[in-house]
Every structure is written in structure tokens, then in C-alpha cells.
Amino acid sequence: MESYLVDITLILDSTVRLAVPLILACMAGLYSERAGIVDIGLEGKLLAGAFAAAAMSAVTGSAWLGLLAGIAAAMMFSGIHGLASITLKGNQTISGVALNFLAAGLTTFLGQSWFKRGGYTPQLSGDQRFNPITLPFANELREVPILGQIYYELISGHNIITYFAFIVVPVTAWVLFRTRFGLRLRAVGENPKAIDTAGISVTRLRFQALVITAVLVGIGGAYLSIAQSAGFNNNMSAGRGYIALAALIFAKWRPGPALLVCLMFGFLDAVQFRIQGQSFPIIGEVPVQAIQALPYVLTVILLAGFIGRAVAPKAAGIPYTKER
């Protein structure tokens, strides 16, 4: 019984760690999508943030400077997206896809040019990474049955970005649904003409949303390379930006349900790591590739069966042109 409890706790611990970049990217996308900006480019921003954070951390030896570099890289990509889709009234989906291609190519090119490691950055250690934090009394309570194990393995022992990600969710809910800024942000995604008529700048609000998006997704990218991992590798975002966007749609653009969807995907991802190489009755050992695809397949099946109809903000994807 105790061994099963340990296994379950370890799976849940992995669930939290794997869900963090999804949560941050999902909350980031929530701001831009609620403001009427379709942000397919979350994947590219996540990848750019991961590379910039690892590169800066490797050069300076500081994880905090790496974090700032990750945010700056995501900010640059958000600026390009805003220029193309808000200022120049371009197609938001095409702009986002272009950013994803740009990030995939640019990170590999710069990684090879700067570090000569085939697109990888040097391995990071010590202060170059965000290390786990042991919460008060975690070691003392470790041997306490059930509750001590949960506190030591599941709640304690994460890095600061992990705790930040879970704080962001209620803060986002409060900002979007309890503040004047959030009301205006949601209104500009539903009826930008009404906001403009009230004398509020649609362009400014949408750029503000993209700035918040950049900060959160940049932190998510930094988490991938200098917290969860010990350096950058090619395409290490591995579709997490797309999964975060899908989670946002499945959650109908609400922070709480979005968190649950991200945790569900993290749980399925954690399970697939545990069952790789295992032999199953009748079918025997399943190829690793099929096991790795399992979280994506199950996510689609489960969510497609329970989501119902998701209605996006009415002005999402539609450039706003001020009437003269």
C-alpha cells in the first residue's frame, strides 16, 4: 500500500512540473485572446523565451538574468505580432504561424552560431538554474504517513517559477473579472467599437494585453530551459504552445477550467513516462512512439467528449479599423 502511495505521489509531482509551462502559456494566451488577438504564436514565444533564458544564463551565470532575457525575447516576438496584426491590420493567424517558424529556425541558427553545439546551449548548473525550494518543516514531516509524504514530495521541492505559475491563475481570474482593466480588456475582445466610442484606445488595450502575454509566456519558456531542464535543446517547447492554446479553447477562455485542463495533460504526460518500456497483457510491449502520443490522443478524446460548444470572443481575429 505504501509503495502505491509513493508511486501516486511521484506521478502527481511530475504532473505539477510538466503542467507549469502549459499553465503559464495558457494564462498568457488568455489575456491576448480575451483582447481579441488570436495568438497562435504562443509556441514561438515559448521557444524564443527558452532559448534566450538559457543563452543568457550560460553567458552570465545568473538564472535571474536568464529569466529577464526570456521575457525580453517573448516581448520582441509579441511586438512583431502586435505590429503585424494590430498596427498593420494583418491576418493574426498567419502572423502567429510565421512567428513559430521564425522561432524554430532562429533558435537553432543562433544556438549553432554562438555555442557550436548543434543548436544546444551549454549545460547549466548551480546559480545558472532555478533550483528546488524546500519549504519549512518539509524534512521533519517527511516520515509522517500520507500527509508528510504529500507535503515533502508534492508541495515542497519545487522551484520559484512553479509556485508563481499557480499564483498566476487566481490573479488572472481577479484581474479579468474583478477589475476595470479586465472589464475593458474583455470588452475590447467582444465589441471594440463600443470601447472606441467610449474614448478608450483599442490599440493601446490590445498592446497592453500582448505585453502581459509576453511576460507570462517568457517566464514559461525560461522555466523549460533553466528550471525544468539544464539548458536549451532544439524545439524543446515540443508543441506546448499549441496545447496551451487548445486548453484555453477547451476551457472556454476561463482561468480555472484552463488550469484543470493543463493539469490533466500534465498528468497524462507523467503517466506516459512511467509506462514506457512496460509490458502489457495480451498486447505485450507498446512502441515508445505510441506511448509518447498517448497524452495528446487522450486529451483530444476526453475533452472532445465533455467540452460542448466553445464560443470565442466575438472580435477575436478581426482587425479593428476605426471609423472616420
Side-chain angles (χ1 to χ4, degrees), residues 208-289:
Q208 287 173 345
L210 284 179
V211 168
I212 298 172
T213 295
V215 171
L216 293 179
V217 78
I219 294 173
Y223 173 85
L224 286 174
S225 60
I226 62 175
Q228 185 181 55
S229 303
F232 177 85
N233 57 70
N234 290 330
N235 293 316
M236 74 180 306
S237 54
R240 288 180 177 87
Y242 297 116
I243 291 293
L245 187 60
L248 195 56
I249 296 169
F250 290 144
K252 301 180 181 179
W253 294 270
R254 293 174 295 169
L259 170 64
L260 295 179
V261 174
C262 292
L263 287 173
M264 185 189 72
F265 184 84
F267 174 75
L268 294 174
D269 208 12
V271 169
Q272 68 92 2
F273 279 117
R274 299 282 292 183
I275 64 176
Q276 283 184 21
Q278 303 266 346
S279 184
F280 296 92
I282 302 176
I283 59 176
E285 187 173 331
V286 179
V288 173
Q289 293 82 355

Side-chain angles (χ1 to χ4, degrees), residues 71-152:
I71 293 173
M75 197 80 73
M76 182 184 71
F77 272 65
S78 267
I80 297 172
H81 189 45
L83 177 66
S85 60
I86 300 174
T87 306
L88 301 179
K89 319 295 184 188
N91 186 291
Q92 297 173 9
T93 302
I94 293 175
S95 171
V97 171
L99 287 177
N100 292 341
F101 283 120
L102 176 63
L106 190 61
T107 52
T108 300
F109 171 74
L110 292 178
Q112 174 61 24
S113 300
W114 292 350
F115 302 109
K116 311 297 182 185
R117 294 169 176 261
Y120 289 59
T121 61
Q123 287 292 104
L124 306 176
S125 60
D127 290 339
Q128 294 176 312
R129 300 182 61 212
F130 286 106
N131 295 305
I133 299 171
T134 301
L135 296 180
F137 308 111
N139 290 321
E140 290 80 358
L141 295 174
R142 183 177 182 180
E143 301 302 325
V144 177
I146 303 179
L147 293 179
Q149 186 73 24
I150 290 173
Y151 182 67
Y152 179 80

Side-chain angles (χ1 to χ4, degrees), residues 183-194:
L183 175 62
R184 290 176 174 177
L185 198 69
R186 289 183 290 121
V188 83
E190 295 289 342
N191 192 346
K193 184 178 180 180

